[in-house]
Every structure is written in C-alpha cells, then in structure tokens.
C-alpha cells in the first residue's frame, strides 16, 4: 500500500509564531531593531532581504537594509559593523551571505557583537550551542527545523536523524541542536560513500545540499520524516533537494518547497531579534 505523507505547512506555522511575537512587540516601549547588511546586487539575496524586512516591519519591528555596492572593501564593511555594534538602538545585525569573493566571511561574522548576532553564526554563539548552553543564539534555519520536529513528533529522544550537508549555517548547527535533544545524529556530505544506504536508516532525514530533487523514494525509510531545506530554481520554478512527489509516497511527514522551511527561517530570525532586544534591555536595567 502506498503511504502519502502529511505535508507540513511551514507558512501557517510561521504565521502563528509571527502573530504571537507581534502581540509581544506591541507591549514593548520601543521597537526591536534589525539591521540587515547586503553587499552587491545578487538578485536572490535582495529578495531574501526584502522579505525579511517586510516581515519585520509587519510585526512592528524596525528594520533597515544597509545596501553596499559590490566593490565595498572588507575594511569598510567591518567599520559599518563596528558602528552598528556600538549603536544602542540596534538589537540585531545580519550580514547576507554569500559575500563577494574579496571579502572573508569569517572576518565579517566574528566582528558582529555576540549579543546582536541574530543569525547565530559567530564563534561565540556557535560555541555555546556546541556546549549545549541554552544562552546560545541558535541559527534560524536549524531552530525552525527543531520547532517543526518537536511540534509534530514531541520528544525526539532516541530518533536517528541523518543530515545531508555540513555547512556552518545549516548542517553543523542542526547536528548540535539535535544532539542536544538526544537524537542519534549522522552528518553526511559530498564525500560520503553510499549515501542512500545511510539515509535509509533515518527516522528523520534533513536535506540541505543544494542539489535539486536529489533525494528519491528509494533513499527513504517507510514512514520517515523528511525535512527539505534546499531552495533551487530549475526552469524558473522553485524546488527543494528532495523529489517531493516521489518521496511523499514513502515518508510520513514532509516539508514542501516553497512553503516549508523558508518561512520558518524568517520567523525564527525575528524571534532571535526579539530575544536579543530583551537581553539588551535587561542588561541596561541591571
Ligand atoms: P552549502 O553549499 O554551504 O553546503 C552544502 C552542503 O551539502 C555541503 O556540506 C556539501 O558537502 C553537501 N553536498 C553538496 N552536494 C552533495 C551531494 N551530492 N551529496 C551529499 N552532500 C552534498 O549550502 P547551505 O548549507 O548554505 O544550503 C544548502 C541548501 O539549503 C541550499 O539549497 C540553500 O539555498 C538552502 N538554504 C535554505 C534556507 C531556508 O531558509 N530554507 C536557509 C539556508 C540554506 P561538502 O561539505 O563536502 O562540500
């Protein structure tokens, strides 16, 4: 008998989170402020940043995009971050990736003050997460994935999670987060041998590799939960890293692209900005 997976509505979940957050922001004496820095004219990045700004403004936050031209030097970018670090009105700072090749992203990320690092990519927050310290500002995409998994499955203890992708923004922080929630975690990447054999062992399969529709039904254990992080444009249409129509016959739960992890990532980024705002207010009061 063919199973048909329940499709997880990330858009609706994200809307719910944002509505609850908007209510909390109404009662704030001033507006949480997110500063987004974009270097260059990558059209996809511009769309992502405008979406983040639109979402932040719609919830009563303040959000500016600092749009720098693509030849901006690393020094100039770092100077701007220092300025925003010192500005008490700014609660969160996000630098849109990828940066032009002449700028080292590690130098940039480590410049952001850790209390304003709402992406959670900096070494301080990544380290806290690694140590299972709840003060960590957790990267938005892994945080959104955890939210979905806990909402749908409850306790994750003992589940075998297989992650495809080991990037600093998805795979690695997600592995720490799931380990902290007592999953057994396997991380795979482009050099992994016989990947389908490993993915077939997963109770939860999370795919973040940027390869359109790579994961097929045969890669998935019957009844597994499949989370598709990939965002790819093929012939002008968006698709994920999972062959959705094929895999939904095998999985019990699946996230679509678009409408799955994307909206959850924005909701979690805004939640991080609100948390950063509260932390900074409380610090001033002390
Ligand atoms: P990266 O390119 O930084 O990392 C990709 C990872 O996938 C690498 O670890 C790479 O391995 C691995 N990989 C690549 N090809 C294969 C393969 N054939 N088999 C197994 N592993 C492979 O990408 P990101 O982590 O930044 O993003 C991944 C995807 O998620 C992209 O499509 C991106 O657009 C999307 N994304 C979506 C977000 C959302 O909000 N929905 C947020 C962030 C990303 P190796 O390390 O060996 O090179």
């Amino acid at each position: 008998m063919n199973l048909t997976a329940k499709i997880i509505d990330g858009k609706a979940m994200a809307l719910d989170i944002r509505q609850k957050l908007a209510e909390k922001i109404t009662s704030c004496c001033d507006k949480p402020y997110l500063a987004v820095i974009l270097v260059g004219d990558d059209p996809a990045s511009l769309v992502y940043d405008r979406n983040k700004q639109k979402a932040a403004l719609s919830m009563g936050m303040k959000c500016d995009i600092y749009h720098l031209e693509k030849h901006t030097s690393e020094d100039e970018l770092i100077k701007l971050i220092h300025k925003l670090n010192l500005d008490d009105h700014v609660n969160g700072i996000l630098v849109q990736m990828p940066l032009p090749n002449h700028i080292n992203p590690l130098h940039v990320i480590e410049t952001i003050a850790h209390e304003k690092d709402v992406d959670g990519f900096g070494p301080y927050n990544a380290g806290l997460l690694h140590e299972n310290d709840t003060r960590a500002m957790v990267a938005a995409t892994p945080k959104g994935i955890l939210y979905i998994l806990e909402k749908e499955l409850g306790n994750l203890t003992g589940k075998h999670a297989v992650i495809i992708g080991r990037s600093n923004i998805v795979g690695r922080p997600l592995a720490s987060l799931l380990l902290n929630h007592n999953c057994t975690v396997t991380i795979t990447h482009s050099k992994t041998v016989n990947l389908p054999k490993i993915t077939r062992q997963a109770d939860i399969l999370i795919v973040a590799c940027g390869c359109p529709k790579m994961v097929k039904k045969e890669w998935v254990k019957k009844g597994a939960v499949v989370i598709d992080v990939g965002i790819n444009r093929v012939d002008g249409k968006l698709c994920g890293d999972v062959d959705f129509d094929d895999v939904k016959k095998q999985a019990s739960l699946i996230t679509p692209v678009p409408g799955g992890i994307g909206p959850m990532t924005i909701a979690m980024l805004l939640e991080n900005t609100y948390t950063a705002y509260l932390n900074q207010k409380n610090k001033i009061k002390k």
Side-chain angles (χ1 to χ4, degrees):
M1 195 182 70
N2 259 347
L3 227 140
T4 299
K6 173 182 164 189
I7 298 166
I8 298 168
D9 188 346
K11 215 169 156 184
M13 260 188 213
L15 197 65
D16 185 50
I17 295 166
R18 281 169 50 181
Q19 273 166 352
K20 288 184 180 133
L21 206 50
E23 281 164 28
K24 291 184 197 162
I25 291 168
T26 317
S27 60
C28 293
C29 50
D30 47 8
K31 293 179 175 184
Y33 179 10
L34 173 65
V36 176
I37 303 175
L38 171 64
V39 187
D41 295 311
D42 175 48
S45 296
L46 199 58
V47 171
Y48 291 149
D49 287 345
R50 290 212 176 116
N51 286 344
K52 288 167 195 163
Q53 185 184 41
K54 219 166 108 188
L57 297 178
S58 76
M59 291 169 43
M61 289 186 175
K62 191 169 173 321
C63 179
D64 286 319
I65 299 178
Y66 292 78
H67 194 168
L68 310 180
E69 60 137 50
K70 73 171 177 223
H71 300 296
T72 302
S73 69
E74 188 175 299
D75 277 355
E76 281 174 276
L77 174 56
I78 284 178
K79 254 186 216 154
L80 171 62
I81 296 172
H82 279 308
K83 195 173 139 222
L84 296 170
N85 280 344
L86 293 172
D87 185 339
D88 286 341
H89 296 104
V90 175
N91 305 114
I93 303 170
L94 176 163
V95 179
Q96 182 64 47
M97 299 291 157
L99 286 165
N101 288 337
H102 65 279
I103 299 178
N104 184 333
L106 295 179
H107 295 166
V108 172
I109 289 167
E110 69 191 17
T111 306
I112 300 172
H114 66 79
E115 68 275 15
K116 299 190 182 187
D117 173 24
V118 286
D119 257 340
F121 297 160
Y124 180 85
N125 284 303
L128 287 183
L129 176 65
H130 190 71
E131 290 173 358
N132 196 9
D133 186 320
T134 51
R135 290 172 302 168
M137 190 75 80
V138 177
T141 303
K143 195 172 167 180
I145 294 170
L146 179 71
Y147 183 96
I148 289 178
L149 291 175
E150 288 195 311
K151 196 162 175 72
E152 295 292 341
L153 303 178
N155 194 337
L156 302 180
T157 296
K159 304 271 186 217
H160 184 189
V162 175
I163 302 169
I164 305 183
R166 56 175 163 179
S167 73
N168 287 343
I169 66 170
V170 188
R172 284 172 201 263
L174 181 64
S176 294
L177 198 58
L178 293 178
L179 202 54
N180 296 345
H181 284 77
N182 297 322
C183 286
T184 302
V185 180
T186 304
I187 313 180
T188 67
H189 46 78
S190 69
K191 310 290 182 292
T192 297
V193 177
N194 203 350
L195 185 53
K197 189 176 170 203
I198 299 170
T199 58
R200 276 196 296 273
Q201 297 169 26
D203 301 313
I204 301 167
L205 175 61
I206 300 131
V207 193
C209 58
C211 306
K213 300 188 183 185
M214 182 179 82
V215 172
K216 307 288 178 197
K217 184 172 160 233
E218 293 70 31
W219 293 38
V220 177
K221 179 166 83 175
K222 212 168 189 64
V225 174
V226 179
I227 305 285
D228 190 355
V229 183
I231 303 177
N232 310 288
R233 196 169 282 278
V234 177
D235 299 331
K237 268 185 79 180
L238 283 186
C239 71
D241 293 340
V242 173
D243 188 336
F244 181 84
D245 290 330
D246 194 34
V247 171
K248 76 174 186 207
K249 296 176 206 150
Q250 185 80 345
S252 60
L253 284 169
I254 189 166
T255 58
V257 177
I261 300 305
M264 288 299 289
T265 297
I266 295 185
M268 292 300 159
L269 169 72
L270 300 176
E271 197 172 89
N272 280 351
T273 305
Y274 177 68
T275 304
Y277 162 87
L278 289 182
N279 289 345
Q280 287 157 46
K281 289 277 150 210
N282 288 339
K283 208 167 147 193
I284 290 169
K285 271 190 214 153
K286 276 181 195 164

